[in-house]
Amino acid sequence: MDMNATGEPVMTHADPQVRVGVHIEQGTCVLTQGGTDFTAYHPWVEFAAPGEKPWTAVKVEFSATRPDGGSVGLTVDLLNDACDGPRDHVPNAIWKVVTLAATSAGDVGIRYTAPTS
């Protein structure tokens, strides 16, 4: 890799967000929209902690397969319109995806060890 970098990057904590992707086994989560079934295989869950509040899941963006085999992206907003709690009637399977993402990211207290040089 031919790249240089300088500086001391600083993260802003005004509105931190984290996107966590997980791979789920094809066929284990089927999303239905407008009477059409979509087979989800890779969701990205967005977590946010606005205004120093606790981390919360905001939305899930799914990569999915249409019945004809083509790819499609579907987004599920998890917060209600007032953004002060979960949206009503979000299916349990989607909350399980959120749980998988949160678990894989250390419950969004992401644990990471930098490589040694």
Side-chain angles (χ1 to χ4, degrees):
M1 178 168 75
D2 186 18
M3 179 184 292
N4 290 317
T6 61
E8 290 292 326
V10 176
M11 189 171 126
T12 177
H13 292 282
D15 189 13
Q17 296 179 345
V18 173
R19 285 185 73 210
V20 178
V22 294
H23 188 79
I24 56 177
E25 187 174 332
Q26 191 117 11
T28 60
C29 183
V30 177
L31 307 168
T32 303
Q33 186 177 48
T36 303
D37 290 343
F38 301 93
T39 305
Y41 59 88
H42 190 90
W44 284 94
V45 180
E46 183 176 306
F47 296 92
E52 298 182 27
K53 293 182 181 175
W55 287 100
T56 187
V58 177
K59 67 181 174 182
V60 183
E61 296 172 341
F62 286 96
S63 295
T65 305
R66 297 188 309 243
D68 66 5
S71 293
V72 66
L74 301 169
T75 300
V76 178
D77 291 319
L78 300 173
L79 295 179
N80 61 24
D81 292 338
C83 294
D84 62 359
R87 184 172 295 281
D88 291 334
H89 310 296
V90 173
N92 284 337
I94 292 174
W95 288 116
K96 287 181 182 180
V97 167
V98 171
T99 301
L100 288 171
T103 300
S104 72
D107 295 328
V108 191
I110 299 172
R111 293 165 181 87
Y112 172 75
T113 302
T116 57
S117 38

